Amino acid sequence: MTPSTRHCTLAPVIANREVAPAIFEMRLRASEIAAAAQPGQFVHLRVKSGLDPLLRRPLSIGAVEGEHICLLFRVIGHGTQLLSRVVPGETLDLLGPLGNPFTLHADRPAVLVAGGMGIADMPLLARRLREAGCPAIHLIFGARTAAELAWTDRVEAEGAQIHTATDDGSAGHHGVCTALLPPLLREIDARPAICACGPEPMFRAILSAVTDPAIPIQLAFEQRMGCGIGACMACAVETSKGYLRACCEGPVLDGALLR
Amino acid sequence: MSMDVRLDVDLGPLRLKNPIVTASGTFGYATEFEDFLDLERLGGVALKGLTLEPRAGNPPPRVAETPAGMLNAIGLENVGCRAFIDQKLPPLRALDTAVIANISGFSVEEYAEMAEMLSAAEGVDAIEINVSCPNIRTGGIAFGSRPEMISEITRAVRAAAPGMPLLVKMSPNVTDIVEMARAAVGGGADALSITNTFLAMAIDAETRRPVLGNLTGGLSGPAIKPLALRMVWQVHRAMPEVPICGMGGIMTGTDAIEFLLAGATAVAVGTASLITPSAAVDVLDGVTDHCRRHGVDNIRTLIGALET
């Protein structure tokens, strides 16, 4: 990450709509952030000015369209509740783009694995892979239920083949999405690169399913965060190299560090 | 035309170009913020708390948000005193701002050893003795709530680093802050940092578990400002000659002015920097603006100027 690409800016909200039950897509105009954003990076966003909530929220930069960025979030607490009520015309205080992005291994097939809101990283990642000439892109996407399979269309639009799983069996494989990984790896006749974003049990399942060291695995962590710029040490992720900061060394970490 | 405001203050022997410094633990090693503010505009920077050996810190989660505040239990993750001197200090030497190194020890001897190392290293302008970290089991707060320990540590650091401006960062988790302040001054402190975070807790009712990996943490942010103001005022009233660096939830220039009125000579911006990286210079601009609006041409006239 080149530090000089980081910006603190007031970004006008262009749209904010519920794309799945309690899942919102927000579009903001933030030209400098849009121009600098790389897949896996995030913006650190103030839900509102004032003292409550006090801290910023990290959200993946899910897609970039011209000078717009698109974010995907699920309403889970006070902050995201407020964020869901933001209407076009309001401005939000953004800091970004922040964090270590995905490395693009565009010379080989890509397998993207998204669990739940982990899909928020995938449209921009798929686009940059396609632009870099990646020979094939697969998305394995697991959600609780069919209605929560948001943004599948965005990834599909980048030429990705979609493989879904749901906890309740309402779409795709009935069960966890990582069950789809071994058969897909057998089907692909080259060593792919794996990029994943989701909960830690999903990461563990990927690491135990894929033991070939010639298959690079990158994992994007979602962690409670303080400053987002590496100063407060709040967002520690435990790795074989000790604690690393999700905001600086991460959010994208080499899977080998998590074995 | 806007009037000139004289902003320099003396935190004991430490001359600051203006009364705004950063609070240790919220500003990393300062260079993390260079993209967002001009470090040379600040009176000083108090850096991440150091220990003699590197520390990995506490298991996550390390932060929890509370109304108008946050809890942290970082556990003094830091590179260690030697690596600080070798790696973190060099880029700060050329800067025209006071560099304040914050130290935590697990014994009196460790405090003294770090003080000796830091005073021998070119580029440290002051040492802040942390006797108040709430997030480590030994040392820290265990020292900060015993006046005889505060005196002993301060005396040991004073002896190890003669001529070095010395601040003692006080714990608010005590029955009588004035008694602790007297102990620090008795041990040779030049100034007092008031206050560190308040020992606190957040609980998740859904999971019936503490939110923090460390179970408890230190509360900071605007929620503690009234508590910190009261402590600054109490200590200033008891010892008006002792310079205080006031801190606790300062978000704006007006907040900073309130601390000066209560008796602080300088103020530290902490949690605000985690939210807005340029917060410390924003506070400075707010202080300057306040002075202009009120016809104050020398910031020193506001120190302890509370009318009661």
Side-chain angles (χ1 to χ4, degrees):
Chain A
M1 186 183 63
T2 310
S4 60
T5 62
R6 304 185 299 183
H7 301 277
C8 198
T9 186
L10 280 177
V13 175
I14 305 300
N16 188 21
R17 64 189 182 95
E18 193 170 11
V19 293
I23 298 175
F24 285 74
E25 174 187 306
M26 179 179 282
R27 175 186 290 266
L28 301 112
R29 188 188 307 123
S31 54
E32 290 165 316
I33 293 174
Q38 298 179 63
Q41 290 189 307
F42 63 97
V43 287
H44 213 18
L45 156 162
R46 289 209 76 189
V47 169
K48 55 186 284 198
S49 57
L51 302 181
D52 190 33
L54 189 64
L55 301 176
R56 290 176 185 269
R57 303 291 191 267
L59 288 176
S60 295
I61 302 170
V64 170
E65 287 164 13
E67 57 182 15
H68 292 173
I69 60 170
C70 295
L71 314 173
L72 192 72
F73 62 93
R74 187 201 296 275
V75 176
I76 43 173
H78 178 48
T80 44
Q81 186 73 250
L82 291 168
L83 201 57
S84 72
R85 294 188 202 129
V86 170
V87 296
E90 292 183 56
T91 57
L92 292 179
D93 179 350
L94 301 186
L95 189 58
L98 301 176
N100 175 48
F102 284 106
T103 300
L104 302 180
H105 298 282
D107 58 335
R108 50 169 92 199
V111 176
L112 317 184
V113 187
M117 294 311 293
I119 191 67
D121 266 346
M122 299 307 170
L124 181 59
L125 177 58
R127 170 161 303 183
R128 293 294 156 83
L129 283 166
R130 179 176 61 76
E131 288 168 350
C134 181
I137 305 171
H138 296 269
L139 171 70
I140 292 175
F141 181 14
R144 295 186 298 203
T145 187
E148 294 186 355
L149 290 166
W151 273 13
T152 314
D153 53 337
R154 279 183 174 272
V155 184
E156 199 166 19
E158 305 301 337
Q161 294 181 48
I162 312 293
H163 316 266
T164 58
T166 50
D167 295 346
D168 65 0
S170 55
H173 170 73
H174 187 171
V176 295
C177 69
T178 44
L180 300 172
L181 191 54
L184 179 62
L185 293 180
R186 282 193 293 274
E187 187 186 304
I188 298 171
D189 60 351
R191 289 196 172 98
I194 296 175
C195 297
C197 183
E200 291 200 36
M202 187 187 94
F203 291 163
R204 272 188 279 281
I206 294 170
L207 292 171
S208 59
V210 185
T211 52
D212 180 352
I215 298 179
I217 300 175
Q218 298 178 77
L219 306 174
F221 281 79
E222 298 169 309
Q223 198 78 354
R224 235 177 248 275
M225 221 171 254
C227 66
I229 58 171
C232 73
M233 311 291 170
C235 58
V237 177
E238 194 169 5
T239 74
S240 57
K241 277 196 196 164
Y243 287 123
L244 296 178
R245 298 165 295 181
C247 70
C248 283
E249 290 82 29
V252 178
L253 294 173
D254 182 348
L257 297 173
L258 279 299
R259 287 204 183 273
Chain B
M1 208 181 106
S2 34
M3 78 184 234
D4 282 340
V5 182
R6 188 175 163 190
L7 291 168
D8 62 289
V9 294
D10 294 320
L11 212 46
L14 179 66
R15 168 65 59 93
L16 301 175
K17 69 169 98 173
N18 67 60
I20 311 300
V21 304
T22 63
S24 174
T26 63
F27 208 65
Y29 303 101
T31 50
E32 293 90 340
F33 287 80
E34 273 179 322
D35 281 356
F36 304 102
L37 55 72
D38 178 0
L39 293 169
E40 296 199 327
R41 288 198 59 205
L42 298 173
V45 288
L47 307 173
K48 178 70 193 165
L50 301 171
T51 48
L52 189 56
E53 302 298 330
R55 274 179 70 86
N58 286 330
R62 292 176 171 185
V63 287
E65 195 175 37
T66 57
M70 67 175 277
L71 302 181
N72 88 79
I74 307 298
L76 284 175
E77 177 174 349
N78 79 98
V79 297
C81 197
R82 174 48 57 196
F84 167 79
I85 291 167
D86 294 342
Q87 297 159 23
K88 304 297 184 183
L89 192 54
L92 304 177
R93 284 197 183 112
L95 289 177
D96 178 22
T97 190
V99 172
I100 303 167
N102 177 292
I103 59 171
S104 282
F106 296 93
S107 66
V108 176
E109 293 72 27
E110 281 192 6
Y111 279 103
E113 190 174 345
M114 281 188 279
E116 201 172 334
M117 289 165 72
L118 291 164
S119 61
E122 185 200 333
V124 176
D125 298 302
I127 291 175
E128 182 176 58
I129 304 171
N130 184 0
V131 286
S132 46
C133 180
N135 296 326
I136 50 175
R137 267 175 240 292
T138 53
I141 204 166
F143 291 152
S145 52
R146 291 170 54 195
E148 67 281 7
M149 285 306 303
I150 296 175
S151 292
E152 191 182 339
I153 292 164
T154 311
R155 258 196 307 277
V157 171
R158 175 84 288 160
M164 175 68 79
L166 221 55
L167 293 89
V168 175
K169 189 162 182 176
M170 312 301 297
S171 169
N173 305 297
V174 295
T175 309
D176 182 0
I177 186 83
V178 173
E179 185 191 2
M180 306 300 153
R182 285 193 202 285
V185 173
D190 295 307
L192 304 172
S193 296
I194 302 175
T195 172
N196 208 319
T197 56
F198 288 74
L199 189 59
M201 194 170 195
I203 292 174
D204 184 334
E206 296 300 318
T207 62
R208 301 188 176 183
R209 296 180 61 82
V211 176
L212 293 174
N214 190 53
L215 313 186
T216 60
L219 178 64
S220 66
I224 70 165
K225 192 186 81 172
L227 298 162
L229 272 176
R230 183 264 298 172
M231 289 185 163
V232 168
W233 178 70
Q234 277 182 322
V235 172
H236 178 70
R237 201 168 52 157
M239 294 185 287
E241 71 288 356
V242 176
I244 295 170
C245 183
M247 64 195 78
I250 293 173
M251 304 293 284
T252 65
T254 307
D255 293 334
I257 296 288
E258 291 170 17
F259 273 88
L260 296 176
L261 293 171
T265 294
V267 296
V269 176
T271 301
S273 294
L274 305 184
I275 301 158
T276 305
S278 63
V281 294
D282 299 341
V283 168
L284 173 61
D285 289 340
V287 164
T288 310
D289 181 57
H290 176 96
C291 290
R292 287 190 179 129
R293 281 190 290 112
H294 292 268
V296 175
D297 61 0
N298 187 340
I299 193 85
R300 295 175 189 229
T301 63
L302 292 179
I303 298 168
L306 186 71
E307 296 170 15
T308 52

